[in-house]
Amino acid sequence: MSDDVLSVIPTDPHWQPEQAAAERAASIVEDLAPGRHGGVDVEIDVTWLGTLTVVGCGRNLQKIGCPHCGASIDTEWWAGLLEAHWEDGFPTLDVVVPCCGAVTSLDALEYDWPCGFARFEISIWNPEREWFSDEELITIGTALGHPVRQVRARI
């Protein structure tokens, strides 16, 4: 059996909120996640990370595109990067893409299912909903004190 995880992360991968702001945002997320059948609440994790960490979409990833030349980037290349940085995180998001040799940011690659990088994450496990609306993301971001984006993973 697989799990779905809907994550909310700051648009700036390096940014982290204060504790009170994170609690406000998590409370809003909890109100927006309907829970499971039978009145079972969803599990929400609020995590501060010491280094830049990938917030990937898991098995939802279809393809990765290069923002410079438009070529498809082999997902095996991506998997190798994740494996190399799984334990210690990413010291930088700078990367040389294999297709055209351009220097870019991992956060700038064109992921088909959104992926991101963060030092702070609110994750909702099996949220029983697809995505947050733009208005809901604005509300969460306002509570957090920074704009946010979302990533949905199937793991």
Side-chain angles (χ1 to χ4, degrees):
M1 178 159 188
S2 63
D3 286 310
D4 286 314
V5 182
L6 181 58
S7 295
V8 176
I9 59 175
T11 56
D12 175 352
H14 299 277
W15 188 84
Q16 292 182 313
E18 298 292 327
Q19 180 75 31
E23 289 173 4
R24 283 192 306 272
S27 178
I28 290 169
V29 165
E30 186 175 15
D31 289 343
L32 295 172
R36 296 185 214 148
H37 300 293
V40 177
D41 290 336
V42 295
E43 179 182 340
I44 298 174
D45 294 329
V46 178
T47 309
W48 281 263
L49 304 157
T51 61
L52 289 167
T53 303
V54 67
V55 180
C57 63
R59 289 186 273 172
N60 288 331
L61 184 63
Q62 301 293 313
K63 63 182 179 177
I64 303 169
C66 175
H68 292 280
C69 71
S72 285
I73 296 173
D74 186 0
T75 54
E76 291 301 316
W77 173 81
W78 169 249
L81 279 176
L82 294 183
E83 186 176 323
H85 296 283
W86 188 252
E87 287 186 30
D88 298 328
F90 290 82
T92 178
L93 296 180
D94 294 338
V95 67
V96 176
V97 288
C99 48
C100 63
V103 176
T104 190
S105 171
L106 288 169
D107 211 31
L109 297 179
E110 298 164 354
Y111 300 98
D112 185 354
W113 278 69
C115 294
F117 295 83
R119 292 187 58 227
F120 174 79
E121 176 182 9
I122 299 173
S123 358
I124 307 102
W125 289 79
N126 301 306
E128 300 298 325
R129 67 172 296 156
E130 292 295 316
W131 299 95
F132 290 117
S133 69
D134 290 342
E135 295 80 19
E136 291 169 330
L137 288 174
I138 290 169
T139 300
I140 296 165
T142 299
L144 195 61
H146 190 85
V148 296
R149 53 188 290 228
Q150 59 189 328
V151 175
R152 186 173 184 87
R154 177 168 297 273
I155 51 175

